[in-house]
Amino acid sequence: MGATDQSRRVALPSSPELPPHGWSTHETLERLEALRVTDVRWKEGRAFSLAYQASPEAHDLATEAYRRFSGENALNVEAFPSLRAMQTDVLAIAGRWLGAPDTARGFLTSGGTESILMAMKAARDQFRRDKTHPNVVLPTSAHAAFHKAGAYFDVELRCVPVCSETWRVDGSAMARASDANTIMFVASAPQYPQGVVDPVADIAALALERGVNCHVDACMGGVTLPYLERLGVALPKWNFAIEGVTSMSVDLHKFGYTAKGASVIMYRNAALRSHQGFVTDNWLGGVYGSSGVLGTKSGGPIAAAWAVLHHLGDDGYLRLVRSARETALSIAAAIRADSRLVLRAEPDATLLSFGSATPDLDIYAVADGLAVRGWYVDRQAPPPSIHLTVNAIHAETHQQFLTDLAVTLDAVGNSSGTLGSYGTLE
Ligand SMILES: *Cc1c(COP(=O)(O)O)cnc(C)c1O
């Protein structure tokens, strides 16, 4: 992948020089557009990862709302009451999706990673006095952001393997991995790699019994699961309706279909949330407080989230979730029907993954073949798999995807590919 990236970069008309005379708006925008010619065509439903599209109209609205508030600064909502009002509305809407009680208090973050960082930081500070070498117990399927949080905040992570058939963790194994220094248990709804919902009730019961926190990572499912329930999909309990759940994360910039930079961290009550904030007056600038990781924080993502939520509305999300779900099930059925492939799990929501059913077929070579045909899929391991995050846009493109997948499988032979990396260090 590195070589391709390198050659692409050279071919692009980028410009490392500060122009002696500034470019006109027109020229600058032309050059910006030229830079993106080799980008993944996500608005055309070609990416099964990284980007989400409800409709051109919703995207344009998000962009316009973002543009209007891009310069406002959510570091201080006293100065920008508009941002406070929008954040309050968005948190209330997300709270209802998550079954949050009236006591719940949240914060709009820049993404799932920041939401998870904040849950981990809050738990660490909450138990700081009694638990000097804190640990968090989580399934191996939990998102990499928990590992990042552990590394940032010096919290030990105890990973419990998931069952290789169901991809779910066993509550009693989580119990065995915990001890007196455990500050938090983690469950995902759904977990990213195979798209299944963890036994949240078992994990939360354990946390309740130990008097510690339980974070449910609903970065993916926080928007989709409430609508899937309304559509009659049988799901285990997954949200604040379970007593032991103390905090939850949901990404608005995924299935909320809003602009990048919007996620919610929600706590069961204000006391839990109080450990998230940071205040100092130990500098020459007076009292400085902030709730999240960022200092200066654009109003753009907040305005875009507020706009898109209200524009799509309850019926819009119901329609979009139904569409993504039907598409995911149709792709899952096609994979199940192909003897060369193995579907890792029946999708609980709209995420799925599949691997090779035979030793001669390298699933990453399949991903390469798909890339040549203009499709961007996730590569994951273990076990070596392709992952698809199916969203509303794929209703229009999945038939072509399945056709190209079949063509790729016929053509791939015994060539090999590589895992690559979800994110990059650049
Ligand atoms: C995407 C995701 C995250 C991380 O969110 P970012 O917005 O990428 O920071 C965490 N958990 C799950 C389950 C996710 O899908």
Side-chain angles (χ1 to χ4, degrees), residues 72 100 111 120 152 155 176 197-198 220-221 265 269 321 329 331 365:
E72 274 69 4
M120 184 88 90
Y152 277 21
V155 171
R176 283 194 301 278
V197 176
D198 279 331
M220 280 293 177
I265 173 69
N269 56 52
V321 169
L329 292 184
I331 296 173

Side-chain angles (χ1 to χ4, degrees), residues 39-64:
D39 284 0
V40 173
R41 284 147 52 203
W42 61 276
K43 283 179 228 165
E44 295 163 39
R46 289 277 172 167
F48 283 94
S49 172
L50 300 171
Y52 302 74
Q53 172 84 324
S55 65
E57 193 186 355
H59 176 70
D60 289 348
L61 174 63
T63 308
E64 178 59 20

Side-chain angles (χ1 to χ4, degrees), residues 292-325:
V293 171
L294 303 182
T296 288
K297 177 174 167 178
S298 171
I302 299 175
W306 189 91
V308 171
L309 291 179
H310 289 94
H311 173 69
L312 291 177
D314 196 47
D315 57 348
Y317 282 107
L318 187 65
R319 176 174 47 79
L320 293 164
V321 169
R322 180 193 284 128
S323 162
R325 171 72 177 172

Side-chain angles (χ1 to χ4, degrees), residues 139-269:
T140 45
S141 56
H143 196 272
F146 289 97
H147 296 262
K148 188 172 187 175
Y152 277 21
F153 299 125
D154 200 18
V155 171
E156 179 194 342
L157 293 189
R158 299 191 173 177
C159 297
V160 178
V162 294
C163 163
S164 61
E165 303 272 307
T166 65
W167 307 100
R168 291 181 185 86
V169 77
D170 179 27
S172 57
M174 296 278 280
R176 283 194 301 278
S178 67
D179 64 13
N181 276 316
T182 299
I183 57 171
M184 186 164 89
F185 291 90
V186 172
S188 305
Q191 45 94 305
Y192 182 81
Q194 289 82 25
V196 300
V197 176
D198 279 331
V200 182
D202 294 354
I203 297 169
L206 198 57
L208 193 64
E209 187 190 301
R210 304 283 164 90
V212 298
N213 294 357
C214 172
H215 181 81
V216 178
D217 180 12
C219 277
M220 280 293 177
V223 182
T224 55
L225 296 181
Y227 292 100
L228 289 175
E229 282 173 336
R230 272 164 59 179
L231 291 167
V233 176
L235 286 166
K237 282 196 191 171
W238 60 280
N239 66 13
F240 280 113
I242 305 167
E243 199 188 345
V245 173
T246 53
S247 60
M248 296 191 71
S249 43
V250 49
D251 289 348
L252 304 176
H253 63 201
K254 290 179 181 161
F255 286 96
Y257 295 105
T258 182
K260 294 283 186 292
S263 170
V264 168
I265 173 69
M266 186 71 74
Y267 299 89
R268 183 172 284 279
N269 56 52

Side-chain angles (χ1 to χ4, degrees), residues 353-367:
S353 98
F354 60 97
S356 160
T358 67
D360 335 322
L361 176 69
D362 182 336
I363 201 70
Y364 302 139
V366 176

